[in-house]
Amino acid sequence: MRHKIIGGIARGILYLHEDSRLRIIHRDLKCANILLDEDMNPKIADFGMARLFRVNQTEGCTSRIAGTHGYMSPEYRRHGHYSVKSDVYSFGVVVLEIITGKRNSSFYHTEGSKNLVSFVWKHWQKGTHVEAFDPSIAGTCSENEVLRCMHIGLLCVEEDPAQRPTMTTVVLMINSSSFDLPLPKQPAYLTEGIGQADQSKSKLVQFSVDTQPITIVSPR
C-alpha cells in the first residue's frame, strides 16, 4: 500500500512538471499536502506556493523563502533557487518518511542523527537499512521493495540538483524493478539554522516556515 502511494505521488508530480499545459513547481510538497481518497489514492493539494513556468523556463529565483523546514532543497533554502529538482528533493524526503514511519518535522537527534535524511543515510552506509524501516511493516512487505524505495529517496535528496533524477526517471525507477539505480551520493543534511546568511548574495535570507505537523500515511 505504501509503495502504491509513493508511485501515485510520483505520477502526480510528473504531471505537474511535464504533462500539465504549464509546468508547475509545487514548492511545498510534504505529507501534510498529500491527501488520500477512500481507495488510498494520493492527491497532491495546497498549491498556494506553486509557481508556473513557461515551456522553455527551467528555474526561478526569489529573495523570500517560504516553505516547510526539512522539505526545502538546499539550493532553494540557501539561495532562493527553485526548479523541478526542488520538488524532487521534497519528494525524496516524503518517500523516506513513508518507509521509516518517522516524521521529518519532529525528528530530533534520533540515534545520533541530526535529521531524518542523515538517519537514513547512516543506516544505508552501514548496511543496516532494515533498522531504518518502519517496524509496523516488518514481516508484512518485501524487504527488497522497501530498500528500493529507500534507494530512490536517497537519490532524490542529493546535494547537487543536477544529480537528482527527473520525475520521469523516478516513475520508471518505481514501476520497473529491472531499472538499474545509480549509487546515491551523500545527501544534503540541511542542518543550518533558520534565517542563515546567504554568502553568495551577502544578505540575510528570510524564511516563512510552516510548522504544521505532517499527516500519518493511513486511511481516515
Side-chain angles (χ1 to χ4, degrees), residues 48-145:
M49 288 174 48
R51 291 292 182 269
L52 301 180
F53 275 9
R54 297 182 297 275
V55 175
N56 60 346
Q57 187 178 2
T58 58
E59 64 178 36
C61 187
T62 180
S63 59
R64 179 173 176 78
I65 311 303
T68 304
H69 178 58
Y71 299 87
M72 292 183 285
S73 64
E75 70 276 8
Y76 177 56
R77 182 179 173 186
R78 294 168 182 163
H79 311 300
H81 297 160
Y82 58 89
S83 66
V84 292
K85 295 300 184 71
S86 305
D87 282 352
V88 170
Y89 181 91
S90 302
F91 170 77
V93 176
V94 169
V95 170
L96 298 181
E97 285 186 313
I98 292 174
I99 64 173
T100 62
K102 298 183 184 298
R103 297 187 179 194
N104 187 53
S105 60
S106 58
F107 192 99
Y108 296 111
H109 297 277
T110 300
E111 296 184 20
S113 302
K114 296 181 179 179
N115 53 35
L116 177 61
V117 173
S118 62
F119 168 78
V120 174
W121 177 251
K122 172 185 175 181
H123 282 293
W124 175 269
Q125 283 193 306
K126 292 172 61 179
T128 55
H129 49 270
V130 176
E131 296 179 20
F133 295 173
D134 185 348
S136 68
I137 62 175
T140 64
C141 63
S142 166
E143 180 180 321
N144 288 336
E145 192 173 71

Side-chain angles (χ1 to χ4, degrees), residues 28-47:
D28 196 24
L29 187 70
K30 56 185 177 180
C31 284
N33 288 339
I34 299 169
L35 310 180
L36 300 173
D37 66 16
E38 60 184 4
D39 297 317
M40 300 296 282
N41 295 309
K43 311 290 183 181
I44 299 174
D46 194 350
F47 288 81

